[in-house]
Amino acid sequence: MPEGIKRHALALAIMAAVCAAFIPPVALARKPTPAAPAVSCLFNDGHFHLTNYVQQGTDMGKYVDAIMGDKVCRSTVFGIPLQQTWSFGNSGDFAPTYYLQSDAPLYYYSFTDAYIANAYLKLKPEQRQRLDPMITGFNPADMYAVDHIRRVLETYPGVFSGIGEFTIHKEFVSSKVAGEIASLTDPALDRILDFAGEVGLAVILHSDIDMPFAKAGAEPVFLKQMKDLLRRHPRTTIIWAHIGLGRVVHPVQDQATVEAAERNPAYRALVEAMITDPTLSHVYFDISWDEVAKYAVASPESIANTSAMLNKYPERFLFGTDNVAPAEQATQMRVYDMWAPIWAELTPEASLKVRKGNYERIFDAARARVRAWEKANVR
Ligand SMILES: [Zn+2]
């Protein structure tokens, strides 16, 4: 067991013993509330896909009982709004299940929301308490997208806490989407974020900060548009997925080059500038995806820098796995354990916020606000 994890397990065991000593037996017998999940669990998953690019995935009950189990306290849950076409003309008998496996287009598959809602409604109440389902099945380049979101809330009241992960710019994906290209400057997106703010839906937005293989030293291409967009929606809680990074949208191009040494602090500086900007105080950053974990633990310097950032601004970052349709708990733990060198460097307070507290604050507020909106607007 890595040292950081061992230390966590020990700290949690001590906390549990101390709590048990002070809480009367009647309180201990009560079911854990979503705000106070079982003490032994390690994290909340702020970014989780139940199904893949061909809408296949993990049974939701199995996800809660066997995969979250006693390790993951609470979890967001969503599908993937984009469906990979199986074009016989392109790949013949080969059935692609991932966007990199075919040249055929992706299209928006709105039924994903009904699928997620129906699976959620079949769960027992104590299983539901641990999940925050999200609406994803809309085209963010469509002025009617907002009507889809409203319709899903009206059809399945009591289910959803937010919208996303949905995508504006994503390397290799955006150019494969059928129809109009999504843009951070599209008024259709403004309508979506306005409505999310009105209802109280938490938003998980994926938009790469830069184009793939961008030139080192230049300002990331999409940064200004992203900041302008976020500033137009101060009433909406927005989580920027993966802090804008991707598989080839790097925080550093190549550790060995001089440009890389310059680009790395530049990236940290631009994230810090966003965190300290009072016009962006409604914005959070998710550190999900094993690709992001790879950057964070790539070197002793990256570990030190990332830990320093999380310790300095612990209320602005959320952990998540970004796993897609996992078959077993080990898949979730693998992403969590990749962060072990950084967990070990965090203060107990920062660690707790990034692993659990920020999720609870954001999604408890979203649940309460969306339920209130439904009560007032859905009959
Ligand atoms: Zn994702």
Side-chain angles (χ1 to χ4, degrees):
M1 199 191 271
E3 207 38 53
I5 307 278
K6 238 189 269 174
R7 220 178 297 162
H8 271 293
L10 183 65
L12 289 168
I14 292 169
M15 257 167 59
V18 170
C19 289
F22 287 99
I23 299 172
V26 181
L28 281 179
R30 258 185 237 141
K31 273 187 208 139
T33 66
V39 174
S40 63
C41 58
L42 295 168
F43 63 92
N44 295 319
D45 195 336
H47 193 127
F48 174 72
H49 300 271
L50 190 74
T51 54
N52 64 10
Y53 279 86
V54 292
Q55 313 302 325
Q56 293 162 350
T58 311
D59 174 80
M60 202 183 278
K62 180 190 166 186
Y63 173 57
V64 176
D65 294 340
I67 296 179
M68 291 170 70
D70 60 351
K71 297 288 191 291
V72 185
C73 326
R74 291 170 60 179
S75 177
T76 52
V77 60
F78 36 93
I80 288 182
L82 292 164
Q83 159 85 30
Q84 173 63 56
T85 309
W86 178 4
S87 158
F88 190 83
N90 185 262
S91 61
D93 287 329
F94 174 71
T97 60
Y98 197 53
Y99 59 85
L100 293 176
Q101 293 175 341
S102 168
D103 299 320
L106 299 159
Y107 64 94
Y108 289 99
Y109 188 84
S110 290
F111 189 73
T112 180
D113 294 328
Y115 179 85
I116 292 287
N118 283 328
Y120 176 82
L121 290 169
K122 281 189 197 143
L123 299 180
K124 299 187 207 96
E126 60 271 26
Q127 292 172 314
R128 285 185 215 164
Q129 280 288 39
R130 298 174 65 186
L131 297 178
D132 285 291
M134 307 284 282
I135 299 168
T136 62
F138 53 87
N139 176 352
D142 182 356
M143 294 288 277
Y144 278 132
V146 73
D147 298 86
H148 169 83
I149 297 167
R150 180 190 292 270
R151 199 171 298 122
V152 173
L153 292 172
E154 287 169 352
T155 311
Y156 297 103
V159 173
F160 291 97
S161 307
I163 59 172
E165 179 194 31
F166 70 96
T167 295
I168 305 301
H169 294 290
K170 179 170 163 111
E171 54 191 13
F172 314 120
V173 170
S174 305
S175 56
K176 285 191 64 176
V177 179
E180 201 176 330
I181 304 253
S183 160
L184 295 166
T185 61
D186 193 328
L189 179 55
D190 285 312
R191 295 187 81 188
I192 293 167
L193 295 181
D194 277 344
F195 184 63
E198 178 194 325
V199 177
L201 294 156
V203 175
I204 302 177
L205 173 61
H206 179 129
S207 195
D208 295 344
I209 196 168
D210 213 341
M211 62 179 152
F213 310 110
K215 200 169 158 280
E219 174 164 297
V221 176
F222 301 122
L223 179 63
K224 183 172 185 304
Q225 286 183 8
M226 183 69 177
K227 287 203 277 199
D228 290 347
L229 172 77
L230 296 169
R231 286 191 183 116
R232 288 198 296 275
H233 304 282
R235 290 177 58 234
T236 311
T237 299
I238 302 172
I239 301 165
W240 191 5
H242 328 302
I243 329 175
L245 298 174
R247 202 174 259 120
V248 294
V249 177
H250 291 194
V252 285
Q253 293 290 30
D254 178 349
Q255 295 284 353
T257 64
V258 178
E259 294 95 314
E262 276 163 16
R263 192 174 167 84
N264 190 14
Y267 192 76
R268 276 186 284 128
L270 70 85
V271 173
E272 186 159 15
M274 288 184 72
I275 290 173
T276 53
D277 184 332
T279 65
L280 298 172
S281 59
H282 57 299
V283 178
Y284 298 84
F285 302 85
D286 99 21
I287 56 169
S288 70
W289 200 3
D290 51 4
E291 296 290 335
V292 173
K294 276 186 216 162
Y295 299 136
V297 300
S299 68
E301 291 74 32
S302 67
I303 291 170
N305 292 336
T306 308
S307 308
M309 182 77 98
L310 299 188
N311 277 329
K312 196 166 174 191
Y313 306 105
E315 40 293 287
R316 305 297 287 279
F317 295 92
L318 290 91
F319 175 71
T321 61
D322 196 20
N323 280 336
V324 177
E328 55 190 17
Q329 191 177 60
T331 314
Q332 307 307 93
M333 292 309 295
R334 190 181 59 79
V335 183
Y336 178 76
D337 289 340
M338 284 175 80
W339 285 84
I342 289 170
W343 299 139
E345 295 301 318
L346 298 191
T347 65
E349 186 208 6
S351 172
L352 197 60
K353 283 181 177 167
V354 175
R355 289 180 298 117
K356 296 182 182 179
N358 296 334
Y359 179 106
E360 284 158 17
R361 200 174 68 251
I362 291 168
F363 285 95
D364 284 351
R367 275 190 198 186
R369 286 189 59 198
V370 178
R371 295 299 86 81
W373 183 89
E374 287 166 350
K375 209 165 160 214
N377 293 281
V378 179
R379 42 199 104 251

